[in-house]
Amino acid sequence: MTLRAGIVGCGGISRSHATAYANLRDVDLVALCDIQPAALQTRADEYAVSNRYTDFREMFETEGLDVVSVCTHAPLHALITIAAAESGINVLSEKPLSTDLENADQMVTACADAGVRLAVSHQYRFTPLFCHAKAWIQAGRIGELRSIREVGKGREAGFELMEMGVHYFDEMDFFMDGIEWVHGQVTYHGHAVGVGDIMHSSELCKTDRRDNGMVAGDTMLIHLGGKRGASGVVELYRREPLHGWMMGPHILGSEGQLMIKPNPKTGIDEMWYCPFDVSFAAHTPQWERILLPQEDFTVDGQLWPDRHSIWSVRDMVNAIRENKQPELGGSKALTSLECVSAVYESHFTGARAYLPLEDRRHPLIKRLNSVPSSPAREEA
Ligand SMILES: NC(=O)c1ccc[n+]([C@@H]2O[C@H](COP(=O)([O-])OP(=O)(O)OC[C@H]3O[C@@H](n4cnc5c(N)ncnc54)[C@H](O)[C@@H]3O)[C@@H](O)[C@H]2O)c1
């Protein structure tokens, strides 16, 4: 059976989803939706999609879709996902799943109640190099897994947490077989973040237009505890210029290291291995590039060497075909966003925040709401 796919939101990442649907066998990209006619027309012309909508509800009611990719900014993911679930459509939501756990829980419940799948598009874990690294870890090729380090691209930390942070949390969840707790320290212009430093993402980060709701801090040091005892370290701080090639895990084991980083010139991931737990550039020429056969990067006859959305789109499509949950389906879709809330919760309490969090409210908005109004505010 050929699956009917649609996309809501025709901006940057939608191209990656559209290419994926267009290249997967037995999937037709039949409809697109955007409130901006120019964005809609550009993407629809590019993929020769004739069914074009500016209202996602109308698209859901009309098109008989099997799956929809939600590619708008995070604050709209819940509204669109719940509407899709009510129309019986499986949902692949872009990350972050939402801006807070209350909304994210509603997404999970709405999809479960409607009997449709919901997954969040963290594509890294499905790529051949990440899968290969995980197989090496499981096989003991780097001894006992000790830690994984990731660094942001250089945007303000509160913004970056929602963009790259969630990807890093997902990959750590993948490599560490689950995250037990999170400890976060957040600063803004050098001082510990307080309630007065909470702001909208557009105020914190002027260089990226995406709406990530309420955020805080320009610098974060995040420590994660894995369920099997390994640690994750995520460092997010402002840096000029932005370095996309910094992203990628550095994985340390008791008997070796692995690194997966995009080549700065090509942007294509490379996996490197070193047979020591500690290494120095001048003294460790044993860093060796691990090459995988091209077949590993081939999906339906096409090569996909980078962290393309094809990997998460394919997982959802396979789940529909095989009548099972996608890998990041159900409550698993929540983990990376749980970590975001846990960072702030930990920062404000000074203690580790254990997953899943009991309090599902947005950790920043609830603190803003608990500040007593000043007399001036009341008069206004
Ligand atoms: N998985 C990844 O690697 C990856 C990479 C980039 C972006 N993203 C995520 O994808 C999401 C979108 O990012 P982007 O860079 O594509 O943003 P974008 O601003 O380029 O595109 C968003 C689009 O959504 C449209 N839109 C807004 N409201 C709408 C509505 N009610 N109905 C239909 N369309 C609507 C906008 O007009 C715009 O065209 C974000 O959550 C971002 O974090 C994920």
Side-chain angles (χ1 to χ4, degrees):
M1 185 191 84
T2 299
L3 298 181
R4 292 173 64 80
I7 298 174
V8 181
C10 293
I13 196 62
S14 72
R15 172 179 277 133
S16 191
H17 287 251
T19 315
Y21 289 124
N23 280 278
L24 283 170
R25 258 180 224 134
D26 301 324
V27 181
D28 280 346
L29 178 60
V30 295
L32 296 178
C33 169
D34 201 295
I35 48 166
Q36 289 187 60
L40 176 61
Q41 192 180 329
T42 302
R43 196 63 76 238
D45 287 352
E46 194 179 346
Y47 292 89
V49 177
S50 46
N51 303 348
R52 305 172 182 195
Y53 296 84
T54 51
D55 177 348
F56 59 82
R57 291 181 201 280
E58 195 189 334
M59 179 169 95
F60 295 160
E61 280 159 21
T62 315
E63 289 293 335
L65 298 177
D66 297 295
V67 59
V68 67
S69 284
V70 178
C71 295
T72 60
H73 298 175
L76 279 178
H77 291 174
L79 184 74
I80 299 169
T81 295
I82 292 166
E86 285 166 0
S87 296
I89 304 167
N90 297 291
V91 179
L92 179 61
S93 168
E94 256 312 333
K95 57 82 194 163
L97 186 62
S98 185
T99 50
D100 67 81
L101 290 170
E102 272 178 321
N103 276 315
D105 287 343
Q106 285 172 16
M107 294 164 79
V108 171
T109 304
C111 289
D113 288 352
V116 298
R117 295 163 189 82
L118 167 65
V120 59
S121 188
H122 288 304
Q123 68 272 35
Y124 301 2
R125 66 160 63 213
F126 301 107
T127 62
L129 290 179
F130 277 66
C131 293
H132 199 71
K134 170 109 183 203
W136 273 39
I137 293 168
Q138 285 175 327
R141 296 280 297 264
I142 58 165
E144 197 179 313
L145 177 62
R146 285 190 175 146
S147 69
I148 305 172
R149 178 174 180 255
E150 276 280 10
V151 180
K153 287 184 183 176
R155 292 168 293 205
E156 290 78 0
F159 183 90
E160 192 75 316
L161 186 67
M162 300 295 268
E163 291 297 333
M164 295 311 297
V166 285
H167 273 318
Y168 298 161
F169 297 146
D170 181 65
E171 69 182 45
M172 291 185 182
D173 181 58
F174 176 61
F175 288 129
M176 302 196 305
D177 292 323
I179 295 168
E180 195 177 356
W181 54 261
V182 177
H183 187 269
Q185 287 169 290
V186 188
T187 57
Y188 187 54
H189 295 312
H191 64 262
V193 154
V195 175
D197 302 309
I198 298 170
M199 59 187 81
H200 189 264
S201 66
S202 58
E203 202 181 326
L204 179 69
C205 176
K206 306 283 187 198
T207 54
D208 196 311
R209 72 208 176 290
R210 282 173 288 193
D211 182 350
N212 279 314
M214 299 305 280
V215 297
D218 53 20
T219 304
M220 289 182 188
L221 180 60
I222 302 162
H223 183 189
L224 310 172
K227 287 201 170 138
R228 293 182 192 272
S231 284
V233 176
V234 179
E235 290 169 59
L236 308 178
Y237 51 87
R238 182 90 192 87
R239 184 196 316 109
E240 291 281 4
L242 301 184
H243 287 318
W245 51 266
M246 296 290 291
M247 65 177 186
H250 182 181
I251 304 169
L252 289 133
S254 56
E255 292 164 34
Q257 305 171 51
L258 292 172
M259 225 187 249
I260 303 174
K261 296 275 182 196
N263 179 303
K265 290 200 180 96
T266 63
I268 303 295
D269 275 340
E270 294 177 355
M271 177 170 160
W272 290 77
Y273 165 67
C274 170
F276 300 107
D277 61 338
V278 178
S279 63
F280 301 93
H283 302 286
T284 321
Q286 289 87 347
W287 275 98
E288 174 198 351
R289 179 151 177 216
I290 307 298
L291 290 163
L292 302 187
Q294 284 219 333
E295 306 89 83
D296 289 10
F297 298 90
T298 305
V299 178
D300 289 353
Q302 292 266 2
L303 261 186
W304 303 90
D306 56 7
R307 299 185 202 179
H308 197 276
S309 306
I310 186 102
W311 300 107
S312 45
V313 170
R314 180 177 73 160
D315 183 65
M316 172 58 92
V317 163
N318 286 346
I320 297 170
R321 288 198 192 298
E322 293 160 22
N323 196 22
K324 61 178 191 188
Q325 274 291 337
E327 187 167 320
L328 286 173
S331 59
K332 280 181 158 184
L334 295 166
T335 305
S336 55
L337 188 63
E338 293 260 2
C339 292
V340 168
S341 288
V343 167
Y344 291 121
E345 208 49 57
S346 160
H347 168 78
F348 278 102
T349 59
R352 290 174 177 177
Y354 285 82
L355 307 191
L357 296 180
E358 263 176 45
D359 189 342
R360 314 299 285 174
R361 292 173 296 168
H362 193 302
L364 300 177
I365 295 176
K366 88 173 175 201
R367 287 187 163 82
L368 275 181
N369 289 343
S370 69
V371 175
S373 322
S374 67
R377 260 193 204 163
E378 275 163 10
E379 277 161 30

